Amino acid sequence: MRLRSWLFLSLGIVLALLTGIALNGVAQRSGERAAAAPLEVETILVASTDVPARTVLQGSMLASREFPKALVPAGAIASEAEAAGQTTLATIPSGAPILRGQLVAADGKSGASLTLDPGSVLVSFPTNDPLTAGGFVSAGDRVDILATVTTGAGENPKRTQTIVQNLEVRQVIGPTKEQPQRATALTFIVDHQTALVLKYLRDSAATIDLAVRSRAEPDNSTTRSVDITYLVQTFGIAR
């Protein structure tokens, strides 16, 4: 029995050695095939520095980089001549590929109007509401404009309503070290009629607050205006 056990053990060791030798040979052949087939690359343009939106591209902002061909994004530009002189529609981070969809031919011009669709305008909305003042509103947030307005004379002339909904904050303007007295304001891109509504609210001395919306709530909500009568009837306030 002992001799038989040794025979089986020896046979197992020999088989293990043969398997290891075979696998090593396969690995070597695979490595040789991989070395024989070099990775295909393609040279494209990337931003050599952070490029803000609405910037006219200059050669100093561009660099050529080799990318694996399979990873080159659609619309990537390879020639500096094709990109130089065009205007960026959005911020391009340093090292990011330059894509045709990020640029617009504007005859070397820059400015906010290059990023606006027809029928849209960029507006500034000064505000001192608590959320903005507290730093809770940032570019990219979507907000609703709540306003309390005086609707006439009488015992209960004030009404509060959600006036405009789902506005995307493009930029938060505020005091800086160089301009400590600069007023706080939000910028929005809206249609012409909404621009007039926002201006009227500013000029009418309405009491205005913002409500930050959930990113998961893209649709407008139906609300009722609130006055003292609504509060009394809804919450049973004694008068």
Side-chain angles (χ1 to χ4, degrees), residues 55-178:
T55 299
V56 179
L57 285 177
Q58 307 293 331
S60 59
M61 304 174 184
L62 306 171
S64 295
R65 293 285 186 275
E66 288 187 345
F67 269 61
K69 193 169 185 178
L71 300 180
V72 173
I77 296 176
S79 168
E80 180 179 317
E82 184 179 350
Q86 298 215 53
T87 302
T88 57
L89 293 174
T91 298
I92 304 177
S94 178
I98 305 295
L99 307 179
R100 291 182 179 87
Q102 298 170 323
L103 308 178
V104 61
D107 297 325
K109 298 181 178 65
S110 61
S113 61
L114 296 174
T115 60
L116 296 176
D117 294 328
S120 298
V121 292
L122 177 68
V123 297
S124 173
F125 190 73
T127 179
N128 58 0
D129 71 281
L131 285 181
T132 303
F136 293 99
V137 180
S138 303
D141 281 336
R142 291 187 174 272
V143 299
D144 294 346
I145 307 293
L146 315 181
T148 299
V149 298
T150 301
T151 58
E155 183 181 358
N156 305 312
K158 291 186 176 181
R159 288 181 176 271
T160 300
Q161 177 63 293
T162 302
I163 305 297
V164 185
Q165 299 188 42
N166 206 22
L167 293 177
E168 182 180 355
V169 178
R170 296 303 178 123
Q171 186 179 7
V172 179
I173 301 171
T176 64
K177 184 177 180 180
E178 294 76 18

Side-chain angles (χ1 to χ4, degrees), residues 37-70:
L39 183 67
E40 288 189 81
V41 296
E42 186 173 329
T43 301
I44 62 173
L45 284 182
V46 300
S48 60
T49 185
D50 291 337
V51 182
R54 302 183 294 276
T55 299
V56 179
L57 285 177
Q58 307 293 331
S60 59
M61 304 174 184
L62 306 171
S64 295
R65 293 285 186 275
E66 288 187 345
F67 269 61
K69 193 169 185 178

Side-chain angles (χ1 to χ4, degrees), residues 8 45 59 61 70 83 128 130 135-136 142 156 186 194 196 200 204 223:
F8 278 116
L45 284 182
M61 304 174 184
N128 58 0
F136 293 99
R142 291 187 174 272
N156 305 312
L186 307 177
T194 302
L196 292 176
Y200 180 84
S204 65
T223 60

